[in-house]
Amino acid sequence: MAAEKQLIVVSLPEDKYYKKSRDDIAQFVKDLAAAASDKDDVLVLFPSKFMSSDGSYGGFDFGDAYVLPVDESIDLWMRDFGLVSPYKPVKFIYGSDYLSRSDARYVDNSFRKLLSRYGGFPKESRLILDGGNVVDNGVDKAIITDRFYYDNPKQDETVLRKEVEAALDMTVAIIPDPRDTTGHADGVVSFIDTNVLAIGDYCDAKYYKLVKEAVEEIFPDLTIVKVPCMDDGKSKPTKSPNWRGFSSSVGSYVNSLLTDSTVYVPQFNKADNDQIALDIVQKNTHRRVVTVDTSRLSHMGGSVRCMSWQISSSDPLAKALLKAAKQSK
């Protein structure tokens, strides 16, 4: 059976916070669309205020990506406030404590307002949970760090676990918080096939062991592979804050994007490390493996997965977004 296409949605933010990075973001979108080729669709949300008088995109070149002009201000890190699970989409509340309540509410409301024009989201949850803290295989398994419990305080952990499993319609493994800025699972683990999980090795044997044990307790039949995640080839962990308080994602190869057909692996312009990670993924998945350069953006705290959210291209919402983008040309 042929793999089903997914729609990968990214954003070029209008916020001045990203002003110096917009050209690099546009290049990332172009590279991602080229990597997707005919296997997946890539759509970029583009601020209407940046449109040129002739209807072009203000000098930005997004290659083969679809472009949807929007009036809302949509943040770069779409994974966190976007929909979770490509085939059973659910919207959680965006509101982890690394952001102020007002900033989180503004980002979340902008996204909700945008999607409401295109059919919205059929399933919502009352739980506070960033999409970056849900790593799923798109079918039946998901992994979340225990930051989830901290973000939903004064509630029984067993009840919370059952509730998030019901919302996702998946079995969930809870792994230890990495104790970085966001506590997201997608900086720690990544599915690279339906039953193959990559765990990032940040040169902390104790933490790696705890993560592996937590995963194996819930998913004993899962194949686990270790992926070195370092930024300089000298076994130096990348988990050090260097961008306005956010932990760098340079060297975090597990922040990969998995679709039905493809694994999109980030590259950081570090030839030896890039190749090591790429080789490991290629040897442990049956899916097509492609690379996307995020070396000019990942110091800000995210990579391929963080900057995107995905939904089945056959979903009514995906169809509505693509239709609107095509009509805007």
Side-chain angles (χ1 to χ4, degrees), residues 234-277:
K234 299 178 182 178
S235 300
K236 178 183 177 182
T238 65
K239 299 293 185 179
S240 56
N242 68 349
W243 176 263
R244 305 186 184 187
F246 285 89
S247 304
S248 171
S249 287
V250 174
S252 183
Y253 296 98
V254 290
N255 198 253
S256 298
L257 174 66
L258 178 74
T259 67
D260 259 12
S261 64
T262 305
V263 186
Y264 299 83
V265 180
Q267 301 280 270
F268 304 99
N269 196 28
K270 298 179 182 295
D272 291 344
N273 292 347
D274 286 353
Q275 191 61 52
I276 289 170

Side-chain angles (χ1 to χ4, degrees), residues 171-274:
T171 302
V172 172
I174 307 291
I175 63 174
D177 190 331
R179 304 297 180 187
D180 59 3
T181 309
T182 64
H184 287 172
D186 67 4
V188 181
V189 297
S190 174
F191 280 99
I192 56 175
D193 216 317
T194 305
N195 288 301
V196 182
L197 183 76
I199 300 180
D201 177 12
Y202 291 99
C203 307
D204 184 340
K206 181 179 179 181
Y207 181 69
Y208 181 91
K209 182 173 182 289
L210 289 172
V211 171
K212 187 171 184 287
E213 289 175 346
V215 170
E216 289 178 331
E217 180 181 359
I218 306 300
F219 305 126
D221 297 327
L222 203 61
T223 298
I224 293 176
V225 295
K226 181 187 290 187
V227 176
C229 290
M230 58 190 84
D231 62 8
D232 64 355
K234 299 178 182 178
S235 300
K236 178 183 177 182
T238 65
K239 299 293 185 179
S240 56
N242 68 349
W243 176 263
R244 305 186 184 187
F246 285 89
S247 304
S248 171
S249 287
V250 174
S252 183
Y253 296 98
V254 290
N255 198 253
S256 298
L257 174 66
L258 178 74
T259 67
D260 259 12
S261 64
T262 305
V263 186
Y264 299 83
V265 180
Q267 301 280 270
F268 304 99
N269 196 28
K270 298 179 182 295
D272 291 344
N273 292 347
D274 286 353

Side-chain angles (χ1 to χ4, degrees), residues 2-59:
E4 185 173 343
K5 269 190 175 186
Q6 292 186 12
L7 176 65
I8 303 169
V9 184
V10 292
S11 173
L12 183 82
E14 69 170 72
D15 196 300
K16 292 181 181 179
Y17 182 89
Y18 299 105
K19 183 176 181 180
K20 294 181 179 179
S21 301
R22 287 192 193 119
D23 287 338
D24 292 333
I25 294 169
Q27 185 62 50
F28 162 74
V29 175
K30 185 177 181 179
D31 293 346
L32 181 62
S37 185
D38 60 343
K39 302 298 183 181
D40 294 303
D41 296 314
V42 175
L43 181 149
V44 58
L45 304 176
F46 182 78
S48 299
K49 63 188 293 185
F50 292 168
M51 295 285 289
S52 299
S53 57
D54 62 359
S56 62
Y57 303 121

